[in-house]
Amino acid sequence: MEKDAEKIFRDLKEDISTYAELKLELFKLNAYERISKVIAIFSYGLLLCALIFITIQFALLALGFLLSNWLNSMAGGFGIVAALYFLQVAIVILNKNRIRRMVINIIVSALNSNEEYNDATRNTTTEGSEQK
């Protein structure tokens, strides 16, 4: 009887340790997935910002030459463009909290998107098992 109880407890201990190891591995894989998702979103955003920045640079350079032609003054045309740059900087500075919140929301939503998928999967499996 005692040998049976020892065997049961030994098996239970092995099952619990296997379960803990698998749970830890699942946690690591979920963390890797979420981190890679955030890095992918960050990389995409950084690339998109760089392309937008370059496009704006060329557009404002062209605007500077256009205004220079219209005003017959190179300094006047590019002075107006410089004022537009200062205006952009001021807008970004004034909206820094909004921009920060937006970035944080994007990161948090990327981190939580996996949980929403898991919740939907659990609900589907639970409903399917109840119907049987």
Side-chain angles (χ1 to χ4, degrees), residues 18-55:
T18 303
Y19 174 77
E21 289 172 7
L22 290 175
K23 197 71 170 167
L24 180 63
E25 187 67 26
L26 180 64
F27 176 76
K28 283 187 206 177
L29 291 174
N30 282 336
Y32 293 153
E33 180 184 10
R34 289 178 183 187
I35 290 170
S36 64
K37 197 178 287 187
V38 168
I39 289 172
I41 289 171
F42 181 73
S43 300
Y44 172 75
L46 196 60
L47 180 65
L48 187 63
C49 285
L51 291 174
I52 289 172
F53 176 75
I54 291 170
T55 304

Side-chain angles (χ1 to χ4, degrees), residues 91-93 95-104:
I91 289 171
V92 169
I93 289 172
N95 291 313
K96 73 177 181 180
N97 289 332
R98 184 180 297 161
I99 292 169
R100 187 181 304 145
R101 267 187 262 124
M102 184 178 66
V103 170
I104 289 171

Side-chain angles (χ1 to χ4, degrees), residues 47-102:
L47 180 65
L48 187 63
C49 285
L51 291 174
I52 289 172
F53 176 75
I54 291 170
T55 304
I56 289 173
Q57 293 301 313
F58 280 115
L60 289 176
L61 187 64
L63 181 65
F65 281 117
L66 180 69
L67 290 174
S68 295
N69 262 349
W70 284 353
L71 299 174
N72 291 327
S73 167
M74 191 73 83
F78 282 98
I80 293 172
V81 171
L84 289 175
Y85 275 113
F86 286 124
L87 181 66
Q88 286 177 348
V89 169
I91 289 171
V92 169
I93 289 172
L94 291 174
N95 291 313
K96 73 177 181 180
N97 289 332
R98 184 180 297 161
I99 292 169
R100 187 181 304 145
R101 267 187 262 124
M102 184 178 66

